[in-house]
Amino acid sequence: MSSQDAVVQKQLDNISIDDAVLVRRCQQGDSSALTRLIVKYQDRIYNTILKICGNPDDAAELTQETFVKVIEHMDSFRGSSTFYTWMFRIAVNLSFNHCRRRVKIATVSLDDSGSSEFGSAKAQLGAWLADERVADPAFLAENREVIHILTQCLARLDDDHRVAVVLRDIEGMSYSEIAEALEVELGTVKSRLSRARAQLREVLETALQ
Amino acid sequence: MTRSGKPEIDELLSAYLDGQLSDRQHTEVKRLLRNDKEVAERLNQLGQQKQLLGAMPIETAPVGMLDAIQASLERQYILQRYPHTGRSAAGARQLFTRRLLTAAAMLIIPAGILALVVYMIMSPATPTTPTAKVEPSGPILTANLPKQGPLPRDRMANDPAADTAFSPMNFTLIFKTPEPILVDSLLKKAIFNHSLFNATVPNLWSYTITTPPNSLIELMQDLRAAWPKCQGTELVAFGRTVHSRVEVDRITPDQIVQLLQQPNAVSALAMAKNLSGFNAVVAGVPSYGMTRTAACEEWFAENPEMPVRPDLAAPTKPAPAKPAEGPRATLHIVIEPQ
């Protein structure tokens, strides 16, 4: 984060302003409100997109594109959904389009994780999934190799399943927010999440064998 | 697939983990978990997986994301402010017009060049270059007028007649008469009969008539009556400079008609030169009752083929030459009372 971003973030920490107020001020041409919205959400948007598309460079570009689209269409935002889910809908759609353009992410091989450097990570992850309670999940998730394996496993899910599990388990959205962001029924969210978790479990077990 | 791996059980367990079940569903899942170890183990696996994903650190956006977004917005703004003009309606119209004009020019220019070439090939030869070609038009001088080709530039520069190639014929006819009032009356009558008022500028004992040569030829038919009333007649043919001036003494109406029938001032001036010499010779020929002067002898030496009696040289009278057309001729008629 740049020094300018840090200053703005500090201001945001001190002054909590509702999204709706910021959006209204943005619509009135307040550039500082726009800056606050960007700084507030840029990491969450980037993180979500990165988990969906799997590539940091693509994620940065898509994040930038997301905010540009958000700002361009700010005037057309009428508040029928929350700004948060509206913005994530744009991010997810851009990520989907990007995924369809490039070579299918699912073709990403897990062979890289078969090397010796991933050995310990695999062992730790396997023990964790075997309910051996060998490590704190937060400590385990700080292991770069573990993160790499998880990211690659996520990349092998179907697009709809991957997005659902990312929005719920990583971004922490509620079911209704996911339904808004993906413009699907609540029941669809439930079934997608269920299938996504089951599929991810299978992929992980395969990767750790 | 185990019982716990059934989709409907997984969906219930997934929703149970997320707290998205109704109270009744929640109670049923709790009862199921107590009675079915496989389901409990499945819930445990899903819970661990969820916990692990949730523990993944949040990746922060690259440094300068805010600046990159602002730069991208500026680019977008510029592109929107200056949209694709080539595709706008006005641009399309302008482009269409330019293409149309280009196509028209591509057609017209070659066609124009072709037409010019065809015109240059097919059009009749016209004296577009200053030529001094003298076309004999009457029986008197038919065989004697010098045949001249196109004048080269250096010759044109020295030839006083050359500059009259494009200039209108300009003559002064002088009636030397003891009966000026009668001659003046005849002149006025002739001008009246041929409706040349608008073309005539009258002055004291003089009239300047500017009209096409054929009108002057017709006028000369009525002016024949003035000759018997005159002691002498003289015609001065002018070029554009003082050097291109020829005086013809004892000019006759037929000779004036012949001069007016010349196609251009150059020919007229050349003919006037010959008539001047011829009239001088005729005046000195003994058979005419006159004495040859030294000047006459010299002229005969230079023009050995000049007929003494021009009318005899042409036994059959040729068809009258077509009156000259083209630029207006000016005839200045002066009455000199004697």
Side-chain angles (χ1 to χ4, degrees), chain A residues 1 5 42-43 46-47 50-51 64 68 71-72 125 128-129 131 133 141 168-169 175 194 197-198 201, chain B residues 10-11 14 18 42 44-45 48-50 52 54-57 59-61 63 65-66 68 72-73 76:
Chain A
M1 186 180 292
D5 293 351
Q42 63 176 355
D43 289 342
Y46 172 78
N47 187 56
L50 177 61
K51 295 300 188 293
Q64 182 181 325
V68 169
I71 294 163
E72 279 179 349
L125 195 55
W128 169 261
L129 293 175
D131 196 22
R133 306 287 180 180
R168 174 62 192 167
D169 292 340
Y175 277 33
S194 169
R197 284 166 173 165
R201 181 74 189 190
Chain B
D10 273 352
E11 192 169 324
S14 181
D18 293 328
R42 180 68 174 174
N44 191 39
Q45 290 174 350
Q48 283 179 315
Q49 185 177 290
K50 176 181 167 66
L52 188 62
M56 288 176 75
E59 301 285 345
T60 57
V63 175
M65 174 62 73
L66 186 61
S72 183
L73 282 171
Q76 294 280 343

Side-chain angles (χ1 to χ4, degrees), chain B residues 88-112:
Chain B
S88 68
R93 279 198 300 274
Q94 186 181 3
L95 189 63
F96 176 75
T97 305
R98 289 174 60 184
R99 285 178 176 167
L100 194 66
L101 290 174
T102 305
M106 289 175 68
L107 291 174
I108 290 171
I109 290 172

